[in-house]
Amino acid sequence: MNFPLAGHVALVAGGTRGGGRGIATELGAAGATVYVTGRSTRAGESDLGRPETIEDTAEYVTAAGGTGIAVQCDHADAHQAKNLINRINAEQDGRLDILVNDVWGGDALVHWTPLWQHPLEDGLTLLHRAIDTHLITSHFALPLMTAGRADLVVEVTDGDEATNALFPDGYRGSPFFDLAKTSVIRLARIQAAELRKHGVAAVALTPGFLRSEAVLEHLGVTERTWRDGIGKDPHFAYSETPAFLGRAVVALATDPDVLSKTGQSLATWDLAEEYGFTDTDGSQPHWGRYFRHTLAPQLDTIVGELTQDPVQ
C-alpha cells in the first residue's frame, strides 16, 4: 500500500466526530501518526451528549493504516492545550507536520435571530468554543511547527469566501455563527502571512453538506441508507461524507507546491476536481455548484424564514 504521509505527525483538534473524524481517518490511511483530541471519551461524554469518542476515532486511524493516539483535551483551556503540545513534542522528538483546527461544538448555541435577540451567553460561549480554541491551539502548536519541517495548518470552517458572498449582504443569517465561521478564514490568512517565511502553508477549508453522525441521525438514516434521507431534505442529494473532507486535507498535505495556496479559502469540491480524489462511493459531489445555481437564487427567502425577524 502507498502511505505518502508515513513518518508525518498530525494533530486533529476536534477529531471526535464529523469532519474531524473524517480528516483524522484519512490522514491515517495516508500513513500518518495522528493525535486525535476532544472532550468526549469512553470515560465520559462532553456536554454535547454525543456517543462518539476520541478513542473511537483513534482506532479508525490505526485501522486505516496510521497510528491513532487519543488525548482528551478541552482546547478552550490554555493549560490543557499547552500540555498537549508538550506531550507531542516529547513523544515525537519535536515534530508536528500537520495541524488541523476543527474544534466547533456550537450547533446548539446558534440562534437565527438578530444580534439584539440572540441570547448573549450562548453567543459568547460559541465564540469561545469556535474561535478562541483555534487561537489557543495555534499559539502553542506553531512554535513546534516553525522549528521543524512542518507542512500545513488547516482551519476548518463552514462556507468558503465565494459561497459566503452569495448570501444577502454576505451575511450568514446568525451573528455569532457568522463571526465564528468567517473569523477562522481570517485566522488562516493571518497564519499564512506569519508562517510563509518558515515554509508552512495555512489555509481555510470548508466541506459541503456534510453527512456527519448528527445529520444522519437527524434524518433517520445511516451512511449505508443515506439516500433515503433525500425525501426529507432534497438538498441532501448533494451531500458528502467526512472522508471527502479528509481526502482534501491529504491532497493538500501531499502537494509539494501547497505553499502556493497559503492564505486561501478552499472548498472540498474544488480540490476534488483539481487533485482528482473522490468520495467513498467514487463520486465527486459539488456542493458549491448546486448551491450557486439552485440555492443562491432563493437565499433571501431561506434566510428570512430562518430569522423570522418581527421588526419590519
Side-chain angles (χ1 to χ4, degrees):
M1 296 182 67
N2 182 30
F3 295 109
L5 294 178
H8 287 63
V9 179
L11 165 60
V12 180
T16 312
R17 61 184 65 85
R21 173 171 286 184
I23 293 169
T25 302
E26 290 301 318
L27 286 170
T33 293
V34 185
Y35 284 80
V36 180
T37 63
R39 296 180 297 150
S40 300
T41 72
R42 289 173 181 167
E45 63 185 26
S46 74
D47 62 336
L48 299 181
R50 296 288 312 173
E52 303 85 17
T53 70
I54 55 174
E55 291 92 346
D56 295 338
T57 303
E59 288 180 358
Y60 288 139
V61 171
T62 302
T67 301
I69 302 172
V71 182
Q72 184 177 24
C73 180
D74 182 348
H75 288 265
D77 183 328
H79 180 71
Q80 292 185 41
K82 182 178 181 180
N83 286 343
L84 166 67
I85 299 304
N86 286 342
R87 174 174 169 176
I88 295 173
N89 183 34
E91 293 180 353
Q92 302 300 329
D93 296 323
R95 182 165 191 168
L96 179 60
D97 302 286
I98 301 162
L99 168 63
V100 179
N101 278 321
D102 186 51
V103 179
W104 166 233
D107 286 337
L109 302 171
V110 177
H111 301 265
W112 301 98
T113 64
L115 175 60
W116 62 91
Q117 294 176 351
H118 196 294
L120 188 58
E121 184 175 355
D122 282 357
L124 295 178
T125 299
L126 187 155
L127 295 182
H128 184 49
R129 288 184 178 181
I131 301 175
D132 292 356
T133 54
H134 293 223
L135 287 164
I136 290 168
T137 305
S138 286
H139 174 79
F140 292 112
L142 294 184
L144 194 58
M145 300 185 75
T146 56
R149 190 193 59 77
D151 299 311
L152 180 66
V153 176
V154 178
E155 293 288 336
V156 180
T157 186
D158 182 309
D160 62 342
E161 290 177 312
T163 304
N164 290 340
L166 297 173
F167 283 82
D169 298 316
Y171 173 51
R172 293 296 303 273
S174 176
F176 295 98
F177 178 85
D178 184 294
L179 277 172
K181 297 306 182 181
T182 57
S183 292
V184 296
I185 294 176
R186 185 63 187 175
L187 180 55
R189 189 163 296 155
I190 290 168
Q191 291 175 98
E194 296 181 342
L195 293 171
R196 184 188 297 273
K197 64 183 178 181
H198 298 282
V200 181
V203 301
L205 177 62
T206 184
F209 192 163
L210 193 71
R211 295 204 295 273
S212 66
E213 298 88 350
V215 168
L216 292 170
E217 183 178 287
H218 174 71
L219 293 175
V221 295
T222 65
E223 181 54 36
R224 185 178 60 83
T225 64
W226 75 269
R227 290 188 179 277
D228 293 343
I230 297 173
K232 298 179 181 178
D233 185 345
H235 309 314
F236 200 49
Y238 299 86
S239 63
E240 62 195 58
T241 72
F244 198 55
L245 177 61
R247 291 174 182 182
V249 173
V250 171
L252 291 167
T254 56
D255 182 353
D257 192 36
V258 68
L259 201 59
S260 67
K261 290 182 168 57
T262 195
Q264 295 183 24
S265 167
L266 306 172
T268 53
W269 53 87
D270 292 327
L271 293 179
E273 291 188 341
E274 177 181 353
Y275 290 108
F277 63 85
T278 64
D279 209 337
T280 55
D281 62 357
S283 68
Q284 287 184 322
H286 201 298
W287 176 253
R289 185 180 300 119
Y290 174 75
F291 189 92
R292 183 169 62 252
H293 294 309
T294 304
L295 290 181
Q298 309 172 38
L299 281 176
D300 280 309
T301 300
I302 293 170
V303 173
E305 290 174 349
L306 277 173
T307 57
Q308 296 181 341
D309 182 3
V311 179
Q312 303 295 325

